[in-house]
């Protein structure tokens, strides 16, 4: 997600709606929960596992709106701070087999 919205689609010549989204995307604070990454692209903030609860608690107090979180391990570590779960399914059919059930 990071490269297209911060570099490619924000350039002149991209459709106006994509440039607008790219601008909004870049203005939105983004956090990466990782104990292994040493650096992240500009505009991102690394949050270590030991700091995750305090960072999310602070964000919930400071931000008036929705915080979204992706990833089962991060969600499991912050379970007590999650107010609502949204489950998404992305069905994908692969192969050339019949689509009917036996």
């Amino acid at each position: 997600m990071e490269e297209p919205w911060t570099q490619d689609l924000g350039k002149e010549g991209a459709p106006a709606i994509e440039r607008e989204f790219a601008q909004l995307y870049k203005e939105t604070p983004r956090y990466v929960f990782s104990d292994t990454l040493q650096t992240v692209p500009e505009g991102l903030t690394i949050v270590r596992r030991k700091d995750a609860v305090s960072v999310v608690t602070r964000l919930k107090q400071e931000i008036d709106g929705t915080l979204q979180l992706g990833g089962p391990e991060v969600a499991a570590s912050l379970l007590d701070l999650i107010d609502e779960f949204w489950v998404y399914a992305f069905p994908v059919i692969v192969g050339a087999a019949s689509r009917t059930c036996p």
Side-chain angles (χ1 to χ4, degrees), residues 55-70:
V55 169
V56 172
T57 300
R58 177 181 56 79
L59 290 171
K60 286 183 71 165
Q61 293 170 350
E62 292 177 358
I63 295 175
D64 183 29
T66 301
L67 296 173
Q68 294 184 355
L69 170 68

Side-chain angles (χ1 to χ4, degrees), residues 41-84:
E42 184 179 341
L44 296 174
T45 301
I46 296 177
V47 178
R48 304 299 181 194
R49 185 182 313 259
K50 66 180 178 57
D51 302 322
V53 170
S54 63
V55 169
V56 172
T57 300
R58 177 181 56 79
L59 290 171
K60 286 183 71 165
Q61 293 170 350
E62 292 177 358
I63 295 175
D64 183 29
T66 301
L67 296 173
Q68 294 184 355
L69 170 68
E73 287 185 34
V74 174
S77 71
L78 300 169
L79 200 56
D80 292 338
L81 297 173
I82 296 174
D83 299 318
E84 182 178 346

Side-chain angles (χ1 to χ4, degrees), residues 3-53:
E3 188 173 318
W5 294 115
T6 58
Q7 296 173 16
D8 304 332
L9 297 174
K11 292 181 179 175
E12 290 298 321
I17 191 76
E18 291 179 358
R19 287 195 319 271
E20 181 182 356
F21 182 86
Q23 186 61 39
L24 292 169
Y25 182 85
K26 288 188 273 188
E27 292 171 0
T28 301
R30 296 173 315 281
Y31 296 82
V32 175
F33 291 78
S34 176
D35 285 333
T36 58
L37 291 176
Q38 298 304 314
T39 61
V40 292
E42 184 179 341
L44 296 174
T45 301
I46 296 177
V47 178
R48 304 299 181 194
R49 185 182 313 259
K50 66 180 178 57
D51 302 322
V53 170

